[in-house]
Amino acid sequence: MNEFLASNILWFKALHVFFMVAWFSGVFYLPRLFVNHAETTSEIVSQQLKGMEKRLLYFVTPFAIFTVVFGLILIYIYGAHWFAAAKWLHIKLTFVIFLLIYHGYCFKLVSTFQQDKNIRSGKFYRIFNEIPVLMLLAVIILAYVKPTYG
């Protein structure tokens, strides 16, 4: 294992958590913009929201990428044997994959709003907003509790 990586593991953990928090600030806020956009009847407000949605999504996307990169670095540092034994991590990574799909789907939704083709209600986006909240809760429990499965 690379000594530089091993000796800086706490930095990599801190950066992983930092970028995750930054990513989720956007992932939590973007669907709230969708709620407002779906419910507005004002063209001026709609145009403002289009800009906000697009800028926010493009702003937080690098945070998602850095979250994944630093997570992969941590897995590499801990090694293949640890990874194989860490069943909780496999479940966590499954949630992370779903979160990345969720994030990707937000690009489709932003495009739909940009083209004025949204057909979903504010209620749909309120429910849509709860998905990452529940997944983040699961990821945090898995990462910090590290439940074992016999």
Side-chain angles (χ1 to χ4, degrees):
M1 173 185 347
N2 185 317
E3 280 302 312
F4 171 79
L5 293 176
S7 64
N8 288 292
I9 193 168
L10 294 178
W11 283 103
F12 293 122
K13 285 183 179 183
L15 289 169
H16 177 66
V17 171
F18 168 77
F19 285 116
M20 183 271 305
V21 170
W23 175 26
F24 272 85
S25 67
V27 168
F28 290 157
Y29 187 54
L30 184 60
R32 294 304 307 164
L33 293 176
F34 294 157
V35 169
N36 293 333
H37 203 157
E39 294 180 348
T40 190
T41 56
S42 166
E43 183 58 31
I44 293 170
V45 172
S46 178
Q47 290 303 315
Q48 274 186 313
L49 289 168
K50 286 178 185 181
M52 292 172 67
E53 292 158 356
K54 186 174 180 179
R55 284 189 303 272
L56 179 60
L57 184 57
Y58 282 93
F59 178 72
V60 300
T61 296
F63 300 146
I65 294 166
F66 283 124
T67 299
V68 171
V69 166
F70 284 108
L72 292 173
I73 289 170
L74 291 168
I75 291 169
Y76 175 78
I77 291 170
Y78 281 108
H81 293 295
W82 171 82
F83 179 74
K87 301 300 182 211
W88 63 268
L89 182 58
H90 301 160
I91 299 167
K92 175 189 170 190
L93 290 174
T94 301
F95 281 112
V96 171
I97 290 167
F98 282 124
L99 287 163
L100 291 168
I101 292 167
Y102 179 95
H103 186 100
Y105 185 64
C106 286
F107 278 95
K108 181 199 179 305
L109 295 174
V110 165
S111 176
T112 299
F113 278 112
Q114 294 287 319
Q115 298 170 31
D116 296 318
K117 293 183 178 179
N118 177 57
I119 58 169
R120 296 200 166 105
S121 68
K123 183 178 179 179
F124 169 85
Y125 293 109
R126 282 185 181 86
I127 294 167
F128 182 73
N129 192 40
E130 300 306 318
I131 294 169
V133 173
L134 298 173
M135 286 196 204
L136 179 61
L137 176 62
V139 165
I140 289 173
I141 289 170
L142 288 163
Y144 286 92
V145 177
K146 295 177 179 50
T148 57
Y149 303 97

